[in-house]
Amino acid sequence: MNNYHDQIVDYYRETENHYRVYWALDKTLAIHYGYWDEKVKSFPQSLLRMNEVLAETANIQRTDKVLDAGCGVGGSSIFLAQHIGCHATGITLSAKQVANAFENAKDKNVSDRTDFKVMNYCHTNFPDASFDIVWGCESICYADSKEQFVRESFRLLKPGGRLILADFMVPAFENNQDPSVRRWLDGWVVNFLETPDNFKKYMLEAGFKDIQFRDISVNTSHSTKRLGRLYYWGKVYLACFKIIGKTMDPIRLRNIKSAYDQYQSHQRGMWIYGLFCATK
């Protein structure tokens, strides 16, 4: 693993309790933004609804084999195995997340329909045409090269297979250097965000067809605002640390501070939340 990958692993190890306390991690197993529409009545429901929307968009069937690229603690893989009955293989850079994912799958009685491995989704060791679906839910922002991820996805998909991708994107690539965007991304250890136009270009060059894109920022804005509000709770938390004479781990500190920057930069139109679906 390279230094950047080590930083990503460290980030998710140090911030796991943040997601547990503020993001309903134990209830939903989700480390992504929620999708709000008329079917959603609560924040945990919105996190699961995001899984539903991606599955519906990619038309995932019971017989499909899914690669969950950047699977976290296994939430999306387990959801797909539970609700659709397909087989999902989750890969992540973190051995701790893989161990957690196996335990979570066991708890949800889907061990026979899930598998988890430590692997880089840009350079996997799976044979060509191994999967019907490549699923990337708010994880591809971490790719060393978003173009390489798209090429690897095309290689791994069977003819007719689908790439489903939901993530943060920037309307213009130079937005990555906006001070608030940069502080946010550095706080989450994200190298850069890609533009929808570049993603589409990579997909076309790889050989994908029937490329569909939707800006779903309006559906994810509840989470954007929620994080913005949590920043102020984080400031109270930090004040308590100071009172008792403790210092916070720098990774956790940056994670708290970046919550405001992601909200503020979104308000200024510096980034969007995009959803792609493409067919091999």
Side-chain angles (χ1 to χ4, degrees), residues 152-182:
E152 180 69 351
S153 297
F154 190 84
R155 183 185 74 80
L156 292 173
L157 285 169
K158 300 174 184 178
R162 283 87 69 203
L163 168 62
I164 183 73
L165 166 63
D167 221 318
F168 314 106
M169 301 175 193
V170 284
F173 194 79
E174 55 267 26
N175 290 9
N176 281 288
Q177 298 310 315
D178 177 83
S180 59
V181 172
R182 196 64 261 160

Side-chain angles (χ1 to χ4, degrees), residues 44-63:
Q45 283 182 9
S46 77
L47 299 175
L48 298 177
R49 179 63 181 145
M50 177 65 85
N51 289 332
E52 289 178 349
V53 169
L54 267 63
E56 291 165 1
T57 303
N59 191 29
I60 299 178
Q61 303 296 311
R62 188 176 183 277
T63 53

Side-chain angles (χ1 to χ4, degrees), residues 96-120:
K96 184 176 189 295
Q97 287 187 334
V98 164
N100 289 343
F102 273 118
E103 285 300 314
N104 291 332
K106 183 179 178 181
D107 290 343
K108 300 295 184 181
N109 298 313
V110 293
S111 295
D112 60 328
R113 297 190 296 281
T114 55
D115 189 23
F116 302 97
K117 301 176 184 294
V118 176
M119 200 179 296
N120 176 3

Side-chain angles (χ1 to χ4, degrees), residues 21 100 129 133 153 193 257 262 264 272-273 276:
V21 174
N100 289 343
I133 304 289
S153 297
L193 300 182
K257 291 182 175 180
Q262 66 85 38
Q264 192 270 343
I272 64 171
Y273 200 108
F276 268 105

